[in-house]
């Protein structure tokens, strides 16, 4: 108890210091959100009179039998599910009972993403954009989790989470503008396709290096905790990225620094060609969470309600308790890794077909809606037609648009234009004046 | 990587009961210390610190060594910016070099805190704090251990603003790290890695020569809207003492400072090496009657081309000196730029007096470093060219 008291005292001091400085610049910073004050998380007090281990590194009893701890990979962490493959709610107490409009919105966002994927995938095959990555089979993880968040919650993603932006209302024109790197692209045409970002929608711009966003999400969550607002950070990554050192860093930092953060792992069975048995030997990613002192759960990623429920509860508790949560959504990457990959080189068509035809997040939600009379064959036909039309229209607009002006090659390296970069910019323009016929200047904005 | 340092700390502690910090123990053993036994006897200090004139324009001053001026800059920042946080390995109790002493007690443990021992995590975390709009001051315990964070610095921090079209940035991030040789730091407590970062558009790299510059430049790094790496010459933490303004002040980035006007040769250096070339300038004057212009570069990236070139146009000769290995060192960049800009003015080949292309050795340090004799000899050859 003494430890708890002294900890309280320390927190008291810290409140005091914050109050003293608050209101100088950052009026939103009022007082700290509740820090967890739990003896479990403090180093145990030293007491040499007790007949128990006194090691500062762990709180445990002695044993007098030699026994190694066996990992449990045969019977792993169970997969939380709300509805079965036919869209029937399995346990009514777990039914989120979302209103019809919300469910229709889920379905339309998932299918719109799917339509966009098909069109952009084809456009890459025709050489109209340079690169693309589809979201086939993982639409449920995006929409279910995005719906459980507040629009102000900050999202850090990997690259296969376009559905989160779709759910938040990112216009089709912006998706297309980014893939075409045209003058409307918010990213000014600098990154490869599917590296989306939106300040307005609190979706941090995607970058290619895997897992780098994981410790960054921890830092952002820490800053948000100090802001003392009702916000969390969510950080998406694949099971392959979870092997990076940065994943270890992010998990450990967020636990020790008590960050309101949801780690959302999309375990889709493959990292390009590498199957999970070459990626790890433990019980997936969820089993690592407790090792970091993190509350963890595994959900059926093809069950949008299971994803929704888990994210909703993780969000509620992450805000209230300032601690990280780990959600591992089990799913299957139905499409190729990217347009630069042919997945038939390393997995069977039968395997892919099973997930596409018999256990798909979109068809499962459709079963659910049909059973309630919320969706008919006619609705499906007309929605397909309409969504295809909107996507095609945006696609054509994007294709016609000019590229951004070449000037933008030089800005935003630093906040200000530095003399040496400015000099290089002038040098490029001088060069272009003399050799303009060798450059595609007519495709770019003036 | 940092595990090696931790091991080192424990070893140092067990031998020197008087101190509880690695930095202190390193410096106790350093040449400037008077209590030398025969077994600890080392080569004489390779430089003599020369304090700057007392700055009068920023209000009252106080005698500070370099680590105290860093603390003072951090103190000013935490006082004026409620979002600012300081974190890294062992910063909570004051840091292994004492740079954060007292700050946790003054500002709270949510603002000055230890992280797990993981450099990629520290920088990634700092980027995240900055992306969320708060001020992040990260410490890497030794510049030698910054390499695990190379990916986060080069691929992430440096490119954040550019790749997002200026929607997101981590301009509020500053990374501080002890830097440079220390007499006996060997391979992993002596490195000067600035050239690795100088090849990376999007970051700023800053190195001060003493307490006054350290505070002013660090405050500029923290205020700058770009991610900055601030290297602190650890051999100066205790050795360099001068009058430092107590209140916050800024010394502009990307501006070299002419410390001594001259007409025959331009000498460019940064960090501790400035004190070496200052002495070399005096030797050249005395022994050769050569007038040297001494310039502290201060910011490695983006560097002050104009000041250096102007000086070389006047003197016609340039010597650049740094502790880091010569091949791919930053002197190469300065040298080729000056050659491009001042071709008609150059009267001798540009000289680079740098560390050799070897790892930084332990017992051979006196032979490794580009000391005043090596620099002096280079000037002699340059004048006679």
């Amino acid at each position: 108890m003494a430890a708890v008291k002294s900890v309280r005292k320390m927190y008291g001091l810290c409140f005091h210091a914050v109050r003293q400085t608050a209101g100088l610049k950052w009026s939103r910073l009022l007082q700290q959100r509740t820090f967890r004050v739990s003896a479990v998380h403090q180093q145990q007090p030293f007491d040499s009179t007790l007949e128990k281990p006194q090691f500062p590194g762990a709180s445990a009893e002695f044993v007098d039998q030699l026994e190694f701890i066996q990992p449990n990979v045969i019977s792993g962490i169970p997969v939380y599910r709300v509805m079965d493959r036919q869209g029937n709610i399995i346990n009514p107490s777990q039914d989120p009972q979302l209103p019809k409009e919300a469910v229709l919105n889920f379905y339309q966002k998932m299918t719109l993403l799917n339509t966009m994927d098909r069109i952009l995938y084809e456009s890459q095959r025709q050489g109209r954009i340079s690169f693309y990555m589809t979201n086939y089979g993982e639409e449920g993880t995006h929409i279910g989790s995005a719906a459980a968040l507040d629009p102000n919650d900050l999202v850090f993603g990997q690259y296969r989470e376009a559905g989160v932006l779709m759910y938040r209302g990112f216009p089709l024109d912006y998706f297309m503008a980014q893939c075409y790197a045209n003058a409307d692209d918010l990213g000014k045409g600098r990154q490869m396709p599917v590296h989306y970002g939106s300040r307005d929608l609190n979706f941090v711009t995607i970058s290619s290096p895997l897992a780098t966003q994981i410790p960054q999400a921890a830092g952002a969550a820490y800053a948000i905790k100090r802001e003392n607002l009702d916000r969390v950070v969510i950080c998406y990554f694949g099971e392959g990225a979870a092997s990076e050192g940065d994943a270890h860093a992010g998990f450990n930092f967020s636990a020790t620094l008590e960050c309101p953060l949801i780690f959302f792992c999309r375990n889709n069975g493959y990292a390009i060609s590498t199957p999970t048995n070459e990626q790890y030997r433990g019980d997936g990613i969820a089993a690592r969470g407790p090792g970091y002192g993190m509350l963890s759960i595994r959900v059926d990623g093809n069950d949008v309600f299971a994803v929704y429920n888990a994210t909703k509860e993780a969000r509620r508790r992450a805000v209230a308790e300032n601690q990280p949560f780990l959600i591992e959504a089990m799913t299957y990457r139905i499409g190729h890794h990217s347009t630069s990959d042919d997945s038939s080189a390393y997995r069977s068509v039968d395997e892919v077909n099973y997930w596409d035809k018999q256990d798909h997040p979109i068809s499962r939600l459709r079963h659910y809606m049909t059973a309630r009379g919320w969706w008919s064959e006619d609705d499906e036909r007309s929605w397909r037609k309409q969504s295809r039309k909107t996507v095609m229209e945006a696609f054509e607009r994007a294709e016609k648009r000019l590229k951004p002006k070449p000037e933008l090659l030089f800005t935003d390296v630093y906040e200000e234009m530095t003399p040496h970069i400015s000099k290089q910019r002038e040098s490029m323009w001088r060069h272009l004046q003399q050799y303009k016929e060798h450059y595609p200047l007519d495709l770019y904005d003036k | 990587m940092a595990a090696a340092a931790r091991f080192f700390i424990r070893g140092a502690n067990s031998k020197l009961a008087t101190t509880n910090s690695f930095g202190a123990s390193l410096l106790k053993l350093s040449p400037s210390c008077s209590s030398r036994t025969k077994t600890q006897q080392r080569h004489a200090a390779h430089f003599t610190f020369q304090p700057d004139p007392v700055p009068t324009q920023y209000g009252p001053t106080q005698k500070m060594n370099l680590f105290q001026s860093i603390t003072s800059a951090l103190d000013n920042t935490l006082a004026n910016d409620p979002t600012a946080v300081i974190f890294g390995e062992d910063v909570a109790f004051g840091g292994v070099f004492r740079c954060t002493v007292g700050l946790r007690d003054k500002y709270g443990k949510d603002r000055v805190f230890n992280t797990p021992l993981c450099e990629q995590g520290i920088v990634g975390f700092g980027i995240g704090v900055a992306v969320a709009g708060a001020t992040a001051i990260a410490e890497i315990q030794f510049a030698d251990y910054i390499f695990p964070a190379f990916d986060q610095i080069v691929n992430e921090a440096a490119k954040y603003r550019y790749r997002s079209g200026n929607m997101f940035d981590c301009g509020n991030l500053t990374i501080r790290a002890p830097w440079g040789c220390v007499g006996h730091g060997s391979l992993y407590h002596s490195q000067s890695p600035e050239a690795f970062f100088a090849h990376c558009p999007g970051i700023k790299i800053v190195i001060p020569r003493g307490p006054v510059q350290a505070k002013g430049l660090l405050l500029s790094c923290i205020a700058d809207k770009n991610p900055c790496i601030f290297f602190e010459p650890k051999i100066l933490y205790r050795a360099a003492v001068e009058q430092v303004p107590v209140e916050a002040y800024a010394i502009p980035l990307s501006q070299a400072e002419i410390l001594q006007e001259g007409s025959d040769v331009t000498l460019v250096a940064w960090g501790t090496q400035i004190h070496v070339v200052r002495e070399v300038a005096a030797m050249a004057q005395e022994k050769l009657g050569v007038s040297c212009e001494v310039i502290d570069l201060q910011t490695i990236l983006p560097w002050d081309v104009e000041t250096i070139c102007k000086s070389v146009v006047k003197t016609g000769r340039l010597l650049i000196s740094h502790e880091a290995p010569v091949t791919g060192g930053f002197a190469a960049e300065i040298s080729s730029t000056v050659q491009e800009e001042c071709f008609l003015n150059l009267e001798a080949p540009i000289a680079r007096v740098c560390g050799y292309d070897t790892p930084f050795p332990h017992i051979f340090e006196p032979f490794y470093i580009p000391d005043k004799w090596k620099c002096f000899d280079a000037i002699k050859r340059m004048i006679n060219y």
Side-chain angles (χ1 to χ4, degrees), chain B residues 152-268:
Chain B
Q152 285 284 355
I153 295 171
V154 173
N155 277 330
E156 295 291 315
K159 299 173 174 55
Y160 231 97
R161 188 189 299 277
Y162 187 77
R163 73 183 184 207
S164 68
N166 204 18
M167 276 190 292
F168 295 94
D169 69 82
C170 59
N172 291 337
L173 170 67
T174 302
I175 303 165
R176 302 172 35 242
W179 167 97
C181 76
V182 68
H184 55 285
S186 181
L187 285 83
Y188 306 113
H189 300 85
S190 308
Q191 290 182 58
S192 305
E194 62 272 18
F196 285 104
F197 297 101
H199 196 52
C200 176
I203 51 172
K204 295 192 176 180
I205 309 161
V206 180
I207 308 175
R209 68 170 181 276
V212 172
Q213 280 68 38
K215 181 170 174 181
L217 288 168
L218 178 55
L219 284 168
S220 293
C221 283
I222 293 167
D224 195 82
K225 289 296 160 203
N226 298 287
C228 296
I229 304 179
F230 188 77
F231 287 125
E232 299 162 5
K234 59 182 160 302
I235 201 167
L236 300 178
Y237 272 141
R238 279 159 196 262
V241 183
E242 59 192 4
Q243 289 290 328
V244 179
V246 179
E247 291 306 314
Y249 61 97
I251 295 177
L253 304 184
S254 293
Q255 272 190 28
E257 187 182 345
I258 301 171
L259 300 182
Q260 179 185 316
E261 306 252 355
S263 55
D264 300 329
V265 186
T266 301
L267 306 181
V268 175

Side-chain angles (χ1 to χ4, degrees), chain A residues 282-298:
Chain A
D283 173 25
I285 309 305
R288 296 180 196 169
Y292 290 99
M294 191 154 54
L295 279 91
S296 307
I297 194 170
R298 175 174 280 160

